[in-house]
């Protein structure tokens, strides 16, 4: 005799969530769903993405008393569910969050029609009085499993790779796991948006597209090895030798560099994996990235490679100290702040200034972004070797410059300005910019200076500049800016940790700089993007 199945009770809150999800699924199309999830995508980018995928469904996780009779329960509520099948992917995600409590609990999945699309309903059975009630409460509040889903219309390897790159690099989506559901024979890739919402890509069949977490971590852990390999390539001048004679083998290169042929071959193999050289048999060639390690070329990054592979590499071993104390690791390890340490060691000081000059590519647009026609006197405060000032003087012959720097930096600055043909139009002033800066400038430059210091020192420096500048004088600030949204990939995020570790300074958001400038008596203006992830922020001295 077959006993009747007890009716499944679906809590009213869960039914309401299903009905709201159905309303959303029926109302949105692919373009509106993408615009809602990823507002950074342009209309053209959304249209291109929509050529390869379609908004398929929205999803919600509910908590009936049991899976038995769930379909009938949903039909009694006026919905049209499909068959209930196991959901391996969601069960595994829940198990990672809640451990043994849900590891052996079956999770069901069914689809409910919603116009041309559907609602994917995941169901975790939660009997009355079960400890899973706490899981249900947490999941309803956090909506971990709620998401939109897009099905690919051309799920080949190239299209899938392109979609993932566009969604992540332009849309800001972050991979959030996934896997293969054998019951549906579909591979799902989950992503999180900057607003912490989730969506998935559905690919028919089985695809091994998910990175192994352990392999990902190991690749990250070996980043220090990559730094040293690049520094060794720079120290041995491999780029110079391969530029002079492309296609050299490991043996001839070992003769030129005084190295062991077998060891050098192993290094070259690693450098090929890093994308700095290519290898055909025993013939090696530079890539575009490797070219940037040549000496004597404009914007060569070779000094930066030596600096990052030298004292800055060593100081990062003290990052834990910096995080625990908020104090820079460089001084902890070397006994001096890095500016003083380099000043006492001319060879290192010279390397530091050459490394800073290696990033001068960011200055290239500056002379043409700002109107200098009414300006006469440009004061570069802490301008290093004068790379930015030299560009301005070369581009605008009517300008005269003043460079304020420490004594050990001025020699390099004179050479830079001489090479720019502007030494005669520049005064070189030794001084401490926290105490005073030359007065009566029409334009003041602070290029990669403020990020070296904490907010209190920045306030002092900006107040000093404000005291020297007459009303209407302009201040140009060049810095890397932290992205406005947390979790957005940006080189400034890494540089921020570098500043913490090595100088005790920090990278800042644009709004942070604007607040500091306003407090000091400047009115912030336009902000321009520059090469190498830098920005130019304009400000004007207000009336006193």
């Amino acid at each position: 005799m077959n006993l009747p199945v007890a009716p499944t009770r679906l809590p009213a809150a869960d039914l309401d969530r299903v009905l709201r999800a159905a309303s959303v699924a029926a109302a949105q199309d692919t373009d509106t769903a993408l615009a809602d999830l990823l507002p950074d995508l342009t209309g053209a980018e959304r249209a291109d993405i929509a050529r390869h995928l379609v908004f398929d469904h929205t999803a919600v996780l509910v908590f009936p008393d049991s899976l038995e009779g769930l379909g009938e329960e949903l039909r009694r509520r006026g919905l049209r569910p499909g068959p209930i099948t196991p959901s391996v992917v969601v069960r595994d995600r829940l198990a990672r969050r809640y451990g043994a409590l849900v590891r052996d609990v079956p999770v069901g999945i069914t689809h409910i029609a919603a116009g041309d699309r559907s609602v994917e309903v995941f169901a975790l059975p939660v009997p009355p009085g079960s400890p899973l009630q706490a899981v249900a409460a947490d999941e309803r509040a956090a909506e971990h499993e709620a998401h939109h889903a897009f099905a690919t219309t051309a799920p080949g390897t190239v299209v899938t790779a392109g979609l993932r790159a566009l969604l992540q690099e332009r849309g800001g989506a972050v991979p959030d796991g996934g896997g293969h559901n054998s019951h549906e024979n579909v591979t799902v890739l989950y992503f999180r948006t900057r607003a912490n919402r989730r969506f998935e890509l559905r690919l028919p069949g089985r695809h091994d597209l998910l990175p192994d977490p352990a392999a990902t971590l190991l690749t990250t852990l070996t980043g220090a090895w990559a730094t040293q390999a690049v520094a060794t390539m720079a120290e041995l001048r491999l780029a110079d030798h391969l530029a002079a004679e492309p296609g050299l083998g490991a043996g001839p290169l070992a003769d030129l560099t005084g190295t062991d042929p077998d060891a050098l071959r192993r290094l070259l193999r690693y450098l090929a994996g890093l994308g700095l050289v290519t290898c055909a048999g025993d013939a090696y060639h530079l890539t575009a990235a490797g070219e940037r390690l040549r000496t004597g070329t404009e914007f060569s990054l070779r000094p930066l490679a030596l600096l990052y592979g030298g004292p800055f590499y060593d100081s990062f071993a003290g990052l834990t100290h910096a995080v625990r104390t908020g104090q820079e690791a460089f001084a902890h390890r070397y006994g001096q702040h890095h500016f003083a340490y380099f000043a006492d060691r001319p060879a290192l000081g010279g390397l530091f200034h050459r490394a800073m000059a290696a990033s001068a590519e960011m200055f290239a647009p500056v002379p043409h972004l700002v109107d200098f026609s009414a300006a006469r006197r440009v004061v570069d405060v802490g301008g290093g070797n004068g790379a930015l000032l030299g560009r301005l003087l070369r581009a605008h012959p009517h300008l005269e410059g003043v460079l304020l720097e420490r004594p050990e930096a001025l020699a390099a600055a004179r050479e830079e300005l001489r090479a720019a043909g502007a030494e005669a139009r520049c005064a070189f002033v030794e001084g401490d910019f926290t105490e005073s800066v030359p007065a009566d400038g029409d334009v003041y430059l602070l290029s990669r200076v403020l990020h070296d210091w904490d907010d209190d020192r920045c306030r002092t420096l900006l107040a000093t500049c404000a005291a020297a500048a007459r009303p209407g004088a302009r201040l140009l600030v060049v810095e890397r800016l932290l992205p406005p949204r947390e979790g957005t990939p940006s080189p400034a995020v890494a540089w921020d940790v570098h500043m913490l570790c090595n100088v005790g300074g920090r990278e800042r958001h644009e709004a942070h700089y604007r607040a500091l400038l306003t407090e000091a008596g400047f009115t912030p203006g336009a902000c321009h993007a520059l090469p190498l992830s830098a920005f130019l922020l304009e400000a004007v001295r207000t009336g006193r």
Side-chain angles (χ1 to χ4, degrees):
M1 178 178 178
N2 292 327
L3 297 176
V5 176
T8 294
R9 188 181 70 86
L10 185 65
D14 288 350
L15 176 63
D16 182 63
R17 291 163 63 235
V18 172
L19 293 174
R20 281 189 282 112
S23 176
V24 170
Q28 289 192 325
D29 59 16
T30 302
D31 184 75
T32 56
L34 285 170
D36 179 44
L37 285 166
L38 303 170
D40 288 347
L41 292 174
T42 66
E45 288 168 338
R46 294 198 306 272
D48 194 30
I49 291 172
R51 293 171 50 224
H52 305 291
L53 54 77
V54 61
F55 177 41
D56 184 74
H57 66 258
T58 190
V60 65
L61 174 62
V62 299
F63 307 94
D65 289 352
S66 71
L67 295 182
E68 292 184 0
L70 175 60
E72 182 60 32
E73 169 79 358
L74 292 171
R75 280 186 285 274
R76 284 200 303 270
R77 304 298 184 105
L79 301 171
R80 294 176 293 158
I84 297 175
T85 59
S87 176
V88 177
V89 174
V90 171
R91 186 196 63 191
D92 289 347
R93 288 173 59 88
L94 290 169
R96 285 195 293 272
R97 282 198 291 275
Y98 302 104
L101 193 60
V102 298
R103 187 169 296 130
D104 297 323
V105 179
V107 175
I109 178 175
T110 186
H111 290 84
I112 296 172
D116 294 334
R117 283 165 286 280
S118 65
V119 177
E120 189 172 57
V121 179
F122 302 111
L124 173 70
V126 179
S130 165
L132 290 173
Q133 292 284 355
V135 173
D138 182 64
E139 287 294 317
R140 287 192 188 103
E143 294 282 12
H144 290 301
E145 298 306 324
H147 63 265
H148 283 340
F150 300 88
T152 55
T153 55
T157 303
V158 173
V159 170
T160 300
L163 283 171
R164 293 170 72 191
L166 187 57
L167 293 169
Q168 292 174 221
E169 294 173 12
R170 295 288 301 122
V174 178
D176 191 36
H180 179 254
N181 188 328
S182 59
H183 297 280
E184 297 183 78
N185 191 26
V186 63
T187 298
V188 295
L189 303 177
Y190 289 113
F191 297 86
R192 282 200 176 273
T193 72
R194 289 169 178 163
N196 205 32
R197 297 171 63 191
R198 293 179 60 248
F199 68 93
E200 72 174 31
L201 294 187
R202 295 173 61 84
L203 310 173
R206 187 181 191 99
H207 302 267
D208 295 323
L209 298 173
L210 296 173
D212 176 20
T216 299
L217 180 58
L218 285 173
T219 300
T220 302
L221 287 172
T222 59
W225 305 350
T227 300
Q228 286 301 311
V230 176
T232 299
M233 179 177 177
E235 187 172 346
L236 296 176
R237 298 181 183 270
L238 293 177
D240 291 342
H241 293 302
L242 289 175
E245 195 170 346
L248 280 177
L253 276 171
D255 291 338
L256 290 169
T257 56
T259 55
D260 178 81
D262 179 64
L264 181 60
R265 184 175 291 106
R266 293 159 70 181
L267 172 65
L268 288 165
R269 182 168 56 201
Y270 186 34
L271 293 172
L274 296 176
L276 300 182
V277 301
T278 61
C279 174
D282 191 42
Y284 296 91
H285 296 264
L286 289 174
T287 64
E291 286 273 355
R292 297 299 294 267
L293 291 175
R294 293 175 57 190
T295 57
T297 59
E298 188 177 25
F299 308 135
S300 168
L301 296 180
R302 181 175 180 269
L304 210 59
L306 295 173
L307 184 66
Y308 284 5
F312 283 168
Y313 179 89
D314 180 65
S315 67
F316 254 88
L319 179 59
T320 302
H321 167 82
V323 172
R324 281 178 171 157
T325 66
Q327 301 171 355
E328 68 267 27
F330 192 100
H332 178 67
R333 293 185 68 80
Y334 288 99
Q336 288 178 282
H337 189 280
H338 106 73
F339 288 133
Y341 186 86
F342 285 8
D344 289 344
R345 294 160 180 80
L348 275 180
L351 174 62
F352 175 76
H353 288 296
R354 291 194 301 276
M356 295 303 98
S359 301
E361 180 181 351
M362 67 176 60
F363 301 146
V366 175
H368 313 292
L369 288 174
V370 178
D371 182 6
F372 291 94
S373 60
R376 290 293 177 270
R377 180 176 165 91
V378 179
V379 180
D380 195 350
V381 180
N385 71 338
L388 175 54
L389 182 59
R391 283 183 175 273
L392 295 181
L393 297 183
R394 188 166 60 243
H396 302 286
H398 70 282
L399 294 177
E400 61 182 42
V402 180
L403 181 66
L404 175 69
E405 254 296 359
R406 298 182 305 276
E408 66 274 8
L410 289 180
R414 287 182 184 277
E415 183 177 336
E416 177 74 23
L417 272 294
R418 187 179 301 120
E423 183 184 17
R425 289 189 285 130
C426 187
F428 299 88
V429 179
E430 295 181 8
D432 181 347
F433 51 54
T434 63
E435 296 178 357
S436 67
V437 301
D440 298 325
D442 300 301
V443 178
Y444 287 82
L445 307 177
L446 282 174
S447 172
R448 297 180 295 176
V449 172
L450 296 176
H451 74 160
D452 288 330
W453 309 103
D454 62 22
D455 282 1
D456 287 341
R457 292 294 294 272
C458 284
R459 291 187 182 96
T460 299
L461 173 54
L462 289 171
T464 304
C465 291
R470 58 177 176 268
R474 286 179 293 170
L475 175 64
L476 304 182
V477 176
V478 176
E479 294 289 357
R480 289 185 173 89
L481 299 179
L482 292 172
R485 295 187 183 92
E486 293 297 321
T488 302
S490 167
V493 174
W495 254 277
D496 184 43
V497 178
H498 168 70
M499 303 311 292
L500 165 68
C501 191
N502 282 292
V503 298
R506 66 189 311 137
E507 306 294 353
R508 296 173 172 88
H509 297 92
E510 179 184 343
H512 195 159
Y513 278 119
R514 287 182 176 275
L516 290 172
L517 289 165
T518 301
E519 184 181 346
F522 292 93
T523 299
C527 184
H528 310 274
L530 301 175
L532 302 182
S533 304
F535 290 84
L536 171 68
L537 182 59
E538 299 184 48
V540 176
R541 179 68 170 104
T542 53
R544 282 172 281 189

